């Protein structure tokens, strides 16, 4: 019997106000042939997102819908998903992503052959037709999962496989964080002595951010998360008030046409400033005496 035939795995998808995105992802995931469960966690959406998920529940008994209404956080939603399944292996995917038909089979094979506890997959950004500058910038800077694992000891939660026992050992995601919870969890896993694996041949697809507004929203959130990492984990990330230096992974390549290199460089500098604004916004207005408990635990 192959590993995939008896694997007990749940694919956990947090979602908030994204009916089109969750429909796209479910249509893609439901083509998998491996023994698996899908757990969608709605984070208190105010639109048709839960209805879209429920429309698939009747025809797919391995799909369940959960709700996280108390904490507005994708990490809290992922924690709710983990608590609502007893599967031994957990995969995390974002709403709006797609995967090939053999994605889960391939990922589980790599997970088994490397004896992994924590594994990130390859993510390719997909461009729309006639992509505008923000989309081309996003596509060029890419999703450097291998670089994140090698230099920063984490994999993004949109492409992460982890054993349940890892959560039982080091705790769940930090639900206080607006951004950076994937990095904080990965760093915690690394410090606990686990090996972090990269599945280069396991491909997933994520659409580019196609508007300047989408980039600003993301980088503002990332900036706030950087300050929150320092506030809640100063022993690892430093004292609040001094932003960490940019990693440099996403600088425009020198072999680009001059026009694109200049445009991408200018956009990168602008978004770095937006990130700084988000950082100081959190620094000045964030609640240092947060009412939420620290990193939640998962009972064995």
């Amino acid at each position: 019997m192959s590993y995939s035939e008896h694997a007990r795995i749940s694919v956990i998808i947090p979602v908030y106000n994204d009916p089109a995105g969750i429909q796209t992802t479910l249509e893609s995931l439901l083509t998998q042939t491996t023994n698996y469960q899908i757990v969608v966690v709605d984070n208190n959406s105010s639109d048709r997102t839960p209805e879209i998920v429920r429309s698939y529940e009747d025809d797919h008994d391995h799909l369940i819908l959960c709700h996280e209404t108390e904490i507005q956080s994708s990490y809290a939603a992922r924690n709710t998903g983990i608590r609502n399944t007893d599967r031994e292996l957990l995969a995390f995917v974002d709403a709006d992503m797609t995967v090939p038909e053999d994605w889960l089979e391939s990922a589980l094979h790599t997970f088994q052959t490397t004896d992994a506890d924590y594994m990130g997959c390859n993510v390719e950004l997909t461009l729309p037709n006639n992509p505008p500058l923000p989309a081309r910038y996003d596509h060029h800077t890419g999703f450097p999962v291998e670089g994140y694992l090698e230099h920063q000891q984490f994999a993004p939660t949109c492409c992460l496989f982890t054993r349940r026992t890892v959560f039982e050992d080091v705790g769940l995601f930090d639900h206080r964080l607006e951004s950076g919870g994937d990095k904080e969890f990965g760093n915690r896993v690394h410090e606990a002595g686990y090996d972090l694996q990269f599945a280069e041949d396991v491909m997933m697809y994520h659409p580019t951010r196609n508007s300047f507004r989408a980039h600003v929203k993301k980088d503002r959130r990332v900036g706030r998360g950087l300050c929150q990492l320092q506030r809640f984990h100063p022993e690892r990330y430093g004292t609040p008030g001094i932003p960490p230096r940019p990693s440099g992974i996403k600088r425009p390549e020198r072999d680009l046409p001059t026009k694109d290199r200049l445009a991408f460089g200018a956009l990168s500098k602008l978004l770095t400033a937006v990130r700084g604004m988000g950082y100081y916004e959190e620094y000045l207005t964030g609640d240092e005496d947060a009412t939420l408990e620290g990193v939640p635990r998962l009972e064995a």
Side-chain angles (χ1 to χ4, degrees), residues 118-144:
Y118 177 107
M119 184 181 81
C121 303
N122 220 335
V123 178
E124 180 177 317
L125 292 174
T126 56
L127 284 164
N129 294 326
N130 301 315
L133 173 65
R136 290 188 288 113
Y137 169 79
D138 203 20
H139 184 265
H140 175 73
T141 54
F143 224 114

PDB file of all heavy atoms in Angstrom, residues 118-144:
ATOM      1  N   TYR A 118       8.201  19.313   8.665  1.00  0.00           N
ATOM      2  CA  TYR A 118       7.788  20.662   8.263  1.00  0.00           C
ATOM      3  C   TYR A 118       8.315  20.868   6.850  1.00  0.00           C
ATOM      4  O   TYR A 118       9.516  20.736   6.612  1.00  0.00           O
ATOM      5  CB  TYR A 118       8.401  21.666   9.237  1.00  0.00           C
ATOM      6  CG  TYR A 118       8.142  23.130   8.960  1.00  0.00           C
ATOM      7  CD1 TYR A 118       7.253  23.862   9.751  1.00  0.00           C
ATOM      8  CD2 TYR A 118       8.834  23.807   7.965  1.00  0.00           C
ATOM      9  CE1 TYR A 118       7.049  25.215   9.529  1.00  0.00           C
ATOM     10  CE2 TYR A 118       8.631  25.155   7.733  1.00  0.00           C
ATOM     11  CZ  TYR A 118       7.744  25.853   8.525  1.00  0.00           C
ATOM     12  OH  TYR A 118       7.547  27.207   8.314  1.00  0.00           O
ATOM     13  N   MET A 119       7.430  21.173   5.896  1.00  0.00           N
ATOM     14  CA  MET A 119       7.839  21.237   4.495  1.00  0.00           C
ATOM     15  C   MET A 119       7.108  22.350   3.759  1.00  0.00           C
ATOM     16  O   MET A 119       5.891  22.495   3.882  1.00  0.00           O
ATOM     17  CB  MET A 119       7.552  19.893   3.804  1.00  0.00           C
ATOM     18  CG  MET A 119       8.015  19.794   2.370  1.00  0.00           C
ATOM     19  SD  MET A 119       7.610  18.167   1.639  1.00  0.00           S
ATOM     20  CE  MET A 119       5.870  18.426   1.200  1.00  0.00           C
ATOM     21  N   GLY A 120       7.862  23.140   2.999  1.00  0.00           N
ATOM     22  CA  GLY A 120       7.277  24.144   2.131  1.00  0.00           C
ATOM     23  C   GLY A 120       7.328  23.700   0.680  1.00  0.00           C
ATOM     24  O   GLY A 120       8.261  22.995   0.273  1.00  0.00           O
ATOM     25  N   CYS A 121       6.332  24.093  -0.105  1.00  0.00           N
ATOM     26  CA  CYS A 121       6.262  23.729  -1.525  1.00  0.00           C
ATOM     27  C   CYS A 121       6.646  24.918  -2.401  1.00  0.00           C
ATOM     28  O   CYS A 121       6.731  26.054  -1.933  1.00  0.00           O
ATOM     29  CB  CYS A 121       4.852  23.278  -1.886  1.00  0.00           C
ATOM     30  SG  CYS A 121       4.235  21.902  -0.909  1.00  0.00           S
ATOM     31  N   ASN A 122       6.845  24.645  -3.664  1.00  0.00           N
ATOM     32  CA  ASN A 122       7.154  25.685  -4.635  1.00  0.00           C
ATOM     33  C   ASN A 122       5.870  26.413  -5.038  1.00  0.00           C
ATOM     34  O   ASN A 122       4.839  25.767  -5.259  1.00  0.00           O
ATOM     35  CB  ASN A 122       7.794  25.056  -5.873  1.00  0.00           C
ATOM     36  CG  ASN A 122       8.924  25.883  -6.415  1.00  0.00           C
ATOM     37  OD1 ASN A 122       8.973  27.090  -6.198  1.00  0.00           O
ATOM     38  ND2 ASN A 122       9.843  25.250  -7.120  1.00  0.00           N
ATOM     39  N   VAL A 123       5.932  27.719  -5.132  1.00  0.00           N
ATOM     40  CA  VAL A 123       4.763  28.517  -5.516  1.00  0.00           C
ATOM     41  C   VAL A 123       5.110  29.363  -6.729  1.00  0.00           C
ATOM     42  O   VAL A 123       6.094  30.107  -6.721  1.00  0.00           O
ATOM     43  CB  VAL A 123       4.297  29.438  -4.369  1.00  0.00           C
ATOM     44  CG1 VAL A 123       3.108  30.294  -4.821  1.00  0.00           C
ATOM     45  CG2 VAL A 123       3.915  28.603  -3.148  1.00  0.00           C
ATOM     46  N   GLU A 124       4.304  29.227  -7.777  1.00  0.00           N
ATOM     47  CA  GLU A 124       4.488  30.036  -8.987  1.00  0.00           C
ATOM     48  C   GLU A 124       3.364  31.053  -9.071  1.00  0.00           C
ATOM     49  O   GLU A 124       2.187  30.716  -8.917  1.00  0.00           O
ATOM     50  CB  GLU A 124       4.482  29.147 -10.228  1.00  0.00           C
ATOM     51  CG  GLU A 124       4.675  29.908 -11.528  1.00  0.00           C
ATOM     52  CD  GLU A 124       4.742  28.979 -12.727  1.00  0.00           C
ATOM     53  OE1 GLU A 124       5.407  27.928 -12.631  1.00  0.00           O
ATOM     54  OE2 GLU A 124       4.119  29.310 -13.755  1.00  0.00           O
ATOM     55  N   LEU A 125       3.733  32.303  -9.306  1.00  0.00           N
ATOM     56  CA  LEU A 125       2.741  33.356  -9.459  1.00  0.00           C
ATOM     57  C   LEU A 125       2.248  33.394 -10.901  1.00  0.00           C
ATOM     58  O   LEU A 125       3.044  33.323 -11.847  1.00  0.00           O
ATOM     59  CB  LEU A 125       3.336  34.707  -9.075  1.00  0.00           C
ATOM     60  CG  LEU A 125       3.656  34.869  -7.583  1.00  0.00           C
ATOM     61  CD1 LEU A 125       4.384  36.171  -7.325  1.00  0.00           C
ATOM     62  CD2 LEU A 125       2.393  34.806  -6.748  1.00  0.00           C
ATOM     63  N   THR A 126       0.935  33.500 -11.081  1.00  0.00           N
ATOM     64  CA  THR A 126       0.326  33.469 -12.413  1.00  0.00           C
ATOM     65  C   THR A 126      -0.146  34.867 -12.805  1.00  0.00           C
ATOM     66  O   THR A 126      -0.831  35.547 -12.040  1.00  0.00           O
ATOM     67  CB  THR A 126      -0.853  32.488 -12.452  1.00  0.00           C
ATOM     68  OG1 THR A 126      -1.803  32.845 -11.435  1.00  0.00           O
ATOM     69  CG2 THR A 126      -0.373  31.069 -12.186  1.00  0.00           C
ATOM     70  N   LEU A 127       0.203  35.277 -14.011  1.00  0.00           N
ATOM     71  CA  LEU A 127      -0.128  36.604 -14.520  1.00  0.00           C
ATOM     72  C   LEU A 127      -1.471  36.617 -15.239  1.00  0.00           C
ATOM     73  O   LEU A 127      -1.841  35.632 -15.893  1.00  0.00           O
ATOM     74  CB  LEU A 127       0.953  37.074 -15.491  1.00  0.00           C
ATOM     75  CG  LEU A 127       2.267  37.562 -14.895  1.00  0.00           C
ATOM     76  CD1 LEU A 127       3.339  37.620 -15.982  1.00  0.00           C
ATOM     77  CD2 LEU A 127       2.086  38.932 -14.251  1.00  0.00           C
ATOM     78  N   PRO A 128      -2.196  37.734 -15.180  1.00  0.00           N
ATOM     79  CA  PRO A 128      -3.396  37.876 -16.019  1.00  0.00           C
ATOM     80  C   PRO A 128      -2.989  38.248 -17.436  1.00  0.00           C
ATOM     81  O   PRO A 128      -1.815  38.500 -17.729  1.00  0.00           O
ATOM     82  CB  PRO A 128      -4.134  39.040 -15.344  1.00  0.00           C
ATOM     83  CG  PRO A 128      -3.016  39.891 -14.799  1.00  0.00           C
ATOM     84  CD  PRO A 128      -1.943  38.917 -14.353  1.00  0.00           C
ATOM     85  N   ASN A 129      -3.947  38.286 -18.326  1.00  0.00           N
ATOM     86  CA  ASN A 129      -3.681  38.780 -19.675  1.00  0.00           C
ATOM     87  C   ASN A 129      -3.357  40.272 -19.618  1.00  0.00           C
ATOM     88  O   ASN A 129      -3.951  41.025 -18.836  1.00  0.00           O
ATOM     89  CB  ASN A 129      -4.902  38.556 -20.571  1.00  0.00           C
ATOM     90  CG  ASN A 129      -5.174  37.079 -20.796  1.00  0.00           C
ATOM     91  OD1 ASN A 129      -4.248  36.270 -20.860  1.00  0.00           O
ATOM     92  ND2 ASN A 129      -6.449  36.723 -20.925  1.00  0.00           N
ATOM     93  N   ASN A 130      -2.413  40.694 -20.442  1.00  0.00           N
ATOM     94  CA  ASN A 130      -1.991  42.098 -20.480  1.00  0.00           C
ATOM     95  C   ASN A 130      -1.715  42.645 -19.078  1.00  0.00           C
ATOM     96  O   ASN A 130      -2.368  43.585 -18.615  1.00  0.00           O
ATOM     97  CB  ASN A 130      -3.059  42.969 -21.173  1.00  0.00           C
ATOM     98  CG  ASN A 130      -3.338  42.526 -22.583  1.00  0.00           C
ATOM     99  OD1 ASN A 130      -2.419  42.246 -23.348  1.00  0.00           O
ATOM    100  ND2 ASN A 130      -4.627  42.446 -22.935  1.00  0.00           N
ATOM    101  N   PRO A 131      -0.774  42.049 -18.384  1.00  0.00           N
ATOM    102  CA  PRO A 131      -0.561  42.398 -16.968  1.00  0.00           C
ATOM    103  C   PRO A 131      -0.086  43.837 -16.785  1.00  0.00           C
ATOM    104  O   PRO A 131       0.805  44.304 -17.504  1.00  0.00           O
ATOM    105  CB  PRO A 131       0.519  41.411 -16.535  1.00  0.00           C
ATOM    106  CG  PRO A 131       1.235  41.032 -17.790  1.00  0.00           C
ATOM    107  CD  PRO A 131       0.184  41.035 -18.856  1.00  0.00           C
ATOM    108  N   PRO A 132      -0.661  44.556 -15.817  1.00  0.00           N
ATOM    109  CA  PRO A 132      -0.197  45.914 -15.507  1.00  0.00           C
ATOM    110  C   PRO A 132       1.105  45.856 -14.708  1.00  0.00           C
ATOM    111  O   PRO A 132       1.564  44.779 -14.307  1.00  0.00           O
ATOM    112  CB  PRO A 132      -1.344  46.476 -14.652  1.00  0.00           C
ATOM    113  CG  PRO A 132      -1.940  45.259 -13.998  1.00  0.00           C
ATOM    114  CD  PRO A 132      -1.813  44.150 -15.004  1.00  0.00           C
ATOM    115  N   LEU A 133       1.701  47.010 -14.472  1.00  0.00           N
ATOM    116  CA  LEU A 133       2.976  47.092 -13.779  1.00  0.00           C
ATOM    117  C   LEU A 133       2.959  46.386 -12.414  1.00  0.00           C
ATOM    118  O   LEU A 133       3.883  45.603 -12.122  1.00  0.00           O
ATOM    119  CB  LEU A 133       3.386  48.557 -13.603  1.00  0.00           C
ATOM    120  CG  LEU A 133       4.636  48.805 -12.744  1.00  0.00           C
ATOM    121  CD1 LEU A 133       5.876  48.221 -13.402  1.00  0.00           C
ATOM    122  CD2 LEU A 133       4.810  50.309 -12.488  1.00  0.00           C
ATOM    123  N   PRO A 134       1.947  46.601 -11.550  1.00  0.00           N
ATOM    124  CA  PRO A 134       1.973  45.926 -10.252  1.00  0.00           C
ATOM    125  C   PRO A 134       1.997  44.405 -10.379  1.00  0.00           C
ATOM    126  O   PRO A 134       2.658  43.718  -9.586  1.00  0.00           O
ATOM    127  CB  PRO A 134       0.685  46.402  -9.568  1.00  0.00           C
ATOM    128  CG  PRO A 134       0.377  47.703 -10.224  1.00  0.00           C
ATOM    129  CD  PRO A 134       0.801  47.534 -11.649  1.00  0.00           C
ATOM    130  N   ALA A 135       1.298  43.858 -11.379  1.00  0.00           N
ATOM    131  CA  ALA A 135       1.293  42.405 -11.578  1.00  0.00           C
ATOM    132  C   ALA A 135       2.658  41.918 -12.056  1.00  0.00           C
ATOM    133  O   ALA A 135       3.169  40.888 -11.582  1.00  0.00           O
ATOM    134  CB  ALA A 135       0.212  42.014 -12.583  1.00  0.00           C
ATOM    135  N   ARG A 136       3.263  42.638 -12.991  1.00  0.00           N
ATOM    136  CA  ARG A 136       4.579  42.241 -13.488  1.00  0.00           C
ATOM    137  C   ARG A 136       5.641  42.342 -12.399  1.00  0.00           C
ATOM    138  O   ARG A 136       6.529  41.507 -12.308  1.00  0.00           O
ATOM    139  CB  ARG A 136       4.957  43.102 -14.704  1.00  0.00           C
ATOM    140  CG  ARG A 136       4.123  42.795 -15.927  1.00  0.00           C
ATOM    141  CD  ARG A 136       4.609  43.509 -17.173  1.00  0.00           C
ATOM    142  NE  ARG A 136       4.331  44.933 -17.138  1.00  0.00           N
ATOM    143  CZ  ARG A 136       5.235  45.890 -17.063  1.00  0.00           C
ATOM    144  NH1 ARG A 136       6.524  45.578 -17.006  1.00  0.00           N
ATOM    145  NH2 ARG A 136       4.890  47.166 -17.061  1.00  0.00           N
ATOM    146  N   TYR A 137       5.535  43.352 -11.550  1.00  0.00           N
ATOM    147  CA  TYR A 137       6.455  43.485 -10.403  1.00  0.00           C
ATOM    148  C   TYR A 137       6.296  42.303  -9.459  1.00  0.00           C
ATOM    149  O   TYR A 137       7.283  41.689  -9.029  1.00  0.00           O
ATOM    150  CB  TYR A 137       6.170  44.793  -9.671  1.00  0.00           C
ATOM    151  CG  TYR A 137       6.859  44.905  -8.334  1.00  0.00           C
ATOM    152  CD1 TYR A 137       8.203  45.243  -8.243  1.00  0.00           C
ATOM    153  CD2 TYR A 137       6.153  44.664  -7.151  1.00  0.00           C
ATOM    154  CE1 TYR A 137       8.842  45.348  -7.010  1.00  0.00           C
ATOM    155  CE2 TYR A 137       6.771  44.764  -5.915  1.00  0.00           C
ATOM    156  CZ  TYR A 137       8.113  45.102  -5.857  1.00  0.00           C
ATOM    157  OH  TYR A 137       8.734  45.186  -4.636  1.00  0.00           O
ATOM    158  N   ASP A 138       5.061  41.954  -9.139  1.00  0.00           N
ATOM    159  CA  ASP A 138       4.800  40.838  -8.229  1.00  0.00           C
ATOM    160  C   ASP A 138       5.339  39.537  -8.811  1.00  0.00           C
ATOM    161  O   ASP A 138       5.966  38.730  -8.113  1.00  0.00           O
ATOM    162  CB  ASP A 138       3.288  40.726  -7.986  1.00  0.00           C
ATOM    163  CG  ASP A 138       2.961  40.016  -6.686  1.00  0.00           C
ATOM    164  OD1 ASP A 138       3.835  39.942  -5.805  1.00  0.00           O
ATOM    165  OD2 ASP A 138       1.814  39.535  -6.545  1.00  0.00           O
ATOM    166  N   HIS A 139       5.123  39.339 -10.111  1.00  0.00           N
ATOM    167  CA  HIS A 139       5.573  38.119 -10.762  1.00  0.00           C
ATOM    168  C   HIS A 139       7.098  38.042 -10.779  1.00  0.00           C
ATOM    169  O   HIS A 139       7.686  36.977 -10.563  1.00  0.00           O
ATOM    170  CB  HIS A 139       5.028  38.063 -12.188  1.00  0.00           C
ATOM    171  CG  HIS A 139       5.343  36.800 -12.916  1.00  0.00           C
ATOM    172  ND1 HIS A 139       6.438  36.672 -13.758  1.00  0.00           N
ATOM    173  CD2 HIS A 139       4.727  35.582 -12.919  1.00  0.00           C
ATOM    174  CE1 HIS A 139       6.465  35.454 -14.251  1.00  0.00           C
ATOM    175  NE2 HIS A 139       5.449  34.765 -13.760  1.00  0.00           N
ATOM    176  N   HIS A 140       7.754  39.166 -11.024  1.00  0.00           N
ATOM    177  CA  HIS A 140       9.214  39.167 -11.097  1.00  0.00           C
ATOM    178  C   HIS A 140       9.853  38.920  -9.729  1.00  0.00           C
ATOM    179  O   HIS A 140      10.802  38.149  -9.600  1.00  0.00           O
ATOM    180  CB  HIS A 140       9.713  40.484 -11.662  1.00  0.00           C
ATOM    181  CG  HIS A 140      11.208  40.586 -11.659  1.00  0.00           C
ATOM    182  ND1 HIS A 140      11.998  39.883 -12.537  1.00  0.00           N
ATOM    183  CD2 HIS A 140      12.063  41.267 -10.844  1.00  0.00           C
ATOM    184  CE1 HIS A 140      13.269  40.145 -12.289  1.00  0.00           C
ATOM    185  NE2 HIS A 140      13.336  40.969 -11.269  1.00  0.00           N
ATOM    186  N   THR A 141       9.337  39.600  -8.709  1.00  0.00           N
ATOM    187  CA  THR A 141       9.922  39.422  -7.378  1.00  0.00           C
ATOM    188  C   THR A 141       9.615  38.036  -6.836  1.00  0.00           C
ATOM    189  O   THR A 141      10.367  37.505  -6.032  1.00  0.00           O
ATOM    190  CB  THR A 141       9.414  40.499  -6.395  1.00  0.00           C
ATOM    191  OG1 THR A 141       7.979  40.496  -6.391  1.00  0.00           O
ATOM    192  CG2 THR A 141       9.921  41.872  -6.800  1.00  0.00           C
ATOM    193  N   GLY A 142       8.502  37.467  -7.285  1.00  0.00           N
ATOM    194  CA  GLY A 142       8.252  36.051  -7.059  1.00  0.00           C
ATOM    195  C   GLY A 142       7.857  35.676  -5.641  1.00  0.00           C
ATOM    196  O   GLY A 142       7.550  36.512  -4.798  1.00  0.00           O
ATOM    197  N   PHE A 143       7.879  34.386  -5.424  1.00  0.00           N
ATOM    198  CA  PHE A 143       7.520  33.789  -4.133  1.00  0.00           C
ATOM    199  C   PHE A 143       8.692  32.896  -3.737  1.00  0.00           C
ATOM    200  O   PHE A 143       8.643  31.682  -3.903  1.00  0.00           O
ATOM    201  CB  PHE A 143       6.243  32.961  -4.284  1.00  0.00           C
ATOM    202  CG  PHE A 143       5.251  33.170  -3.182  1.00  0.00           C
ATOM    203  CD1 PHE A 143       4.025  33.757  -3.429  1.00  0.00           C
ATOM    204  CD2 PHE A 143       5.544  32.763  -1.886  1.00  0.00           C
ATOM    205  CE1 PHE A 143       3.103  33.937  -2.419  1.00  0.00           C
ATOM    206  CE2 PHE A 143       4.636  32.940  -0.863  1.00  0.00           C
ATOM    207  CZ  PHE A 143       3.403  33.536  -1.128  1.00  0.00           C
ATOM    208  N   PRO A 144       9.765  33.470  -3.198  1.00  0.00           N
ATOM    209  CA  PRO A 144      11.014  32.715  -2.995  1.00  0.00           C
ATOM    210  C   PRO A 144      10.969  31.800  -1.769  1.00  0.00           C
ATOM    211  O   PRO A 144      11.658  32.022  -0.773  1.00  0.00           O
ATOM    212  CB  PRO A 144      12.053  33.820  -2.827  1.00  0.00           C
ATOM    213  CG  PRO A 144      11.294  34.949  -2.203  1.00  0.00           C
ATOM    214  CD  PRO A 144       9.905  34.886  -2.802  1.00  0.00           C
TER     215      PRO A 144
END
